[in-house]
Amino acid sequence: MMFETIEAALAACREKGLPLWRLFLEDDCRDRGVTAEASLKQMQTLWTRMKESGDSYDGALRSKSGLSGGDGAKMAAYIQKEDSLSNGLIGEIIAQALQMGESNACMRRIVAAPTAGSCGVLPALLLPLYRHKLADDRQVIEALYTAAGFGQVVATRATIAGAEGGCQAEVGTASAMAAAALVTQQGGTPEMAAHALAMALKNLLGLVCDPVAGLVEVPCVKRNVIGAVNAFSAAQMALAGIESRIPADEVIDAMADIGTLLPSCLRETGQGGLAATRTGCDIARELHAKP
């Protein structure tokens, strides 16, 4: 990858007069030695799989542990009520994030974006927009290039692994990618996308990875909701002209530093945080006692 900083990508956009998505498309072609047509085809495939995952959600399914399943259907039903405060786009974002996270827990096919545990964040923003015809396939694919390019910078400068940096590295990065993607889809500038990334990521700094019983279910599924709603908020602020006081690269570096400071019990080991609560320990014992 050519860009190790967000600022380098922004500078290249200014120098070449390119939108972010095109810059990252060309970078992908150079990096993998493929044509633009081949790169676009692969991104289209990922978007198709994401749509298929969203459309194939089954609210009747339950994960093997019994900890996940059905909540996405409950939320989808709730937002249909006239007196629901979330009966618009934001409600659909919440429902979609739950549904995708549950599909992952139920071993359905999903798109890791950037990880399986954070797979619900990006599609939670893009799928509702697409279904309401507020975004077409071309716009979504362009947004996905922005998400992928910025996500790669985060992975290079810091980490996207919960075992290394806590959940801030997974849901936090997914939220930052989704915020930048939404800004791109809405016609915002590269600088706006960078501010959206920075605001989304800094809102989730310090988020620990504490999976109950060591499974990517509790609290992981519902954290996808927080990541999606956070991304939506950050993108809207950036599109309004609100800027992050801390530059994106410095936010990413802060996330990396925080990740190294987190004790191992808060980095996916299932030994601290919610996993260490009385109920969390009870659940773990019950599951481990099953034949």
Side-chain angles (χ1 to χ4, degrees), residues 71-72 75 93-103 221-222 225:
D71 287 342
M75 191 67 205
I93 289 173
I94 294 170
Q96 185 63 76
L98 286 169
Q99 291 172 11
M100 200 66 76
E102 289 178 344
S103 291
V221 172
K222 296 181 181 69
V225 174

Side-chain angles (χ1 to χ4, degrees), residues 115-149:
T115 64
S118 61
C119 68
V121 179
L122 192 54
L125 268 68
L126 297 179
L127 287 173
L129 289 174
Y130 180 78
R131 289 170 183 151
H132 283 283
K133 302 188 185 305
L134 298 173
D136 57 26
D137 287 306
R138 177 188 60 80
Q139 291 173 321
V140 170
I141 288 172
E142 291 175 359
L144 286 173
Y145 271 105
T146 294

Side-chain angles (χ1 to χ4, degrees), residues 60-282:
L61 290 179
R62 299 295 181 270
S63 63
K64 185 176 181 181
S65 68
L67 294 174
S68 302
D71 287 342
K74 290 178 182 177
M75 191 67 205
Y78 172 70
I79 63 178
Q80 297 303 316
K81 296 182 178 181
E82 291 185 3
D83 60 347
S84 168
L85 295 177
S86 54
N87 60 2
L89 183 61
I90 197 69
E92 293 188 36
I93 289 173
I94 294 170
Q96 185 63 76
L98 286 169
Q99 291 172 11
M100 200 66 76
E102 289 178 344
S103 291
N104 176 55
C106 293
M107 303 303 290
R108 305 296 295 274
R109 182 164 63 177
I110 51 87
V111 176
T115 64
S118 61
C119 68
V121 179
L122 192 54
L125 268 68
L126 297 179
L127 287 173
L129 289 174
Y130 180 78
R131 289 170 183 151
H132 283 283
K133 302 188 185 305
L134 298 173
D136 57 26
D137 287 306
R138 177 188 60 80
Q139 291 173 321
V140 170
I141 288 172
E142 291 175 359
L144 286 173
Y145 271 105
T146 294
F150 275 179
Q152 185 61 54
V153 173
V154 176
T156 299
R157 293 187 70 82
T159 179
I160 58 171
E164 189 174 4
C167 197
Q168 59 168 3
E170 295 207 22
V171 168
T173 299
S175 186
M177 291 167 59
L182 183 55
V183 168
T184 291
Q185 189 277 320
Q186 290 289 297
T189 66
E191 287 75 19
M192 286 178 175
H195 284 299
L197 176 143
M199 288 188 283
L201 186 57
K202 70 184 183 182
N203 287 346
L204 297 178
L205 288 180
L207 186 60
V208 302
C209 185
D210 51 351
V212 171
L215 302 172
V216 187
E217 298 188 56
V218 178
C220 317
V221 172
K222 296 181 181 69
R223 280 187 181 158
N224 275 258
V225 174
I226 295 304
V229 174
N230 177 55
F232 182 83
S233 301
Q236 295 307 294
M237 286 191 287
L239 288 165
I242 298 171
E243 299 182 351
S244 172
R245 295 296 183 182
I246 308 300
D249 290 317
E250 293 183 36
V251 176
I252 295 170
D253 291 345
M255 189 263 276
D257 291 341
I258 292 168
T260 62
L261 293 172
L262 288 176
S264 62
C265 65
L266 298 177
R267 285 186 278 144
E268 208 173 342
T269 58
Q271 298 175 341
L274 295 176
T277 62
R278 182 177 63 185
T279 299
C281 291
D282 289 344

